[in-house]
């Protein structure tokens, strides 16, 4: 019981740490994307795209990147499906074995979580892209 609780707590801790890292990674990726595409943003605004359209486009891009990462994660987890790992409790000498079993529900939850992390990570850069002024964005081209 104690070892199972330790494994659950460790797994939860690692999930939180990696999730924060994934959100920060999504934010940095989308910030770089916005920085390198200011001329494109200005051109879109010039031809009639609204700030809302720009926001939606960058959020969609971020969500799709999150989904792609989630699909890679589910594929990696599927490789561990039905793998059994054992460990020894050195206090009692008993062996504890546990297996990985990926269910469709788990895969779905993982994909939803990945999409959510992409959305959260893309919010700030998408909002920044939507606030770029047309003159500023097109001025970057000549600079």
């Amino acid at each position: 019981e104690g070892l199972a609780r330790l494994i659950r707590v460790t797994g939860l801790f690692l999930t939180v740490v990696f999730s924060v890292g994934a959100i920060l990674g999504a934010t940095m990726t989308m910030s770089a994307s916005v920085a390198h595409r200011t001329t494109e943003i200005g051109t879109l605004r010039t031809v009639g795209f609204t700030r809302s359209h720009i926001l939606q486009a960058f959020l969609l891009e971020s969500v799709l990147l999150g989904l792609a990462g989630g699909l890679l994660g589910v594929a990696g987890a599927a490789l561990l499906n039905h793998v059994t790992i054992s460990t020894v409790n050195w206090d009692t000498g008993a062996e504890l074995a546990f297996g990985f079993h990926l269910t469709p529900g788990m895969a779905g939850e993982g994909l939803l979580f990945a999409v959510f992390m992409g959305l959260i990570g893309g919010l700030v850069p998408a909002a920044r892209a939507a606030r770029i002024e047309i003159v500023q964005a097109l001025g970057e081209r000549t600079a």
Side-chain angles (χ1 to χ4, degrees), residues 66-87:
L67 180 61
L71 288 170
L72 286 172
V74 168
L79 293 175
L80 291 175
N81 204 17
H82 302 295
V83 170
T84 302
I85 295 177
S86 64
T87 185

Side-chain angles (χ1 to χ4, degrees), residues 62-63 65-71 108-120:
S62 181
V63 164
L65 286 172
L67 180 61
L71 288 170
E109 287 174 5
L111 289 174
L112 283 175
F113 191 59
V115 165
F116 176 73
M117 287 188 300
L119 180 67
I120 296 299

Side-chain angles (χ1 to χ4, degrees), residues 14-31 62-63 65-70 73 110 113-123 125:
L14 290 174
T15 300
V16 169
V17 169
F18 285 124
S19 296
V20 169
I23 290 170
L24 291 174
T27 301
M28 289 187 298
T29 300
M30 292 307 298
S31 291
S62 181
V63 164
L65 286 172
L67 180 61
F113 191 59
V115 165
F116 176 73
M117 287 188 300
L119 180 67
I120 296 299
L123 277 175

Side-chain angles (χ1 to χ4, degrees), residues 42-121:
T43 303
L44 290 173
R45 291 289 315 272
T46 301
V47 298
F49 283 73
T50 64
R51 292 179 189 273
S52 175
H53 291 132
I54 302 296
L55 177 76
Q56 291 170 12
F58 277 95
L59 280 178
L60 179 62
E61 182 179 336
S62 181
V63 164
L64 290 175
L65 286 172
L67 180 61
L71 288 170
L72 286 172
V74 168
L79 293 175
L80 291 175
N81 204 17
H82 302 295
V83 170
T84 302
I85 295 177
S86 64
T87 185
V88 174
N89 183 339
W90 294 106
D91 292 334
T92 63
E95 181 180 20
L96 174 69
F98 57 95
F100 296 99
H101 299 287
L102 181 65
T103 65
M106 291 172 166
E109 287 174 5
L111 289 174
L112 283 175
F113 191 59
V115 165
F116 176 73
M117 287 188 300
L119 180 67
I120 296 299

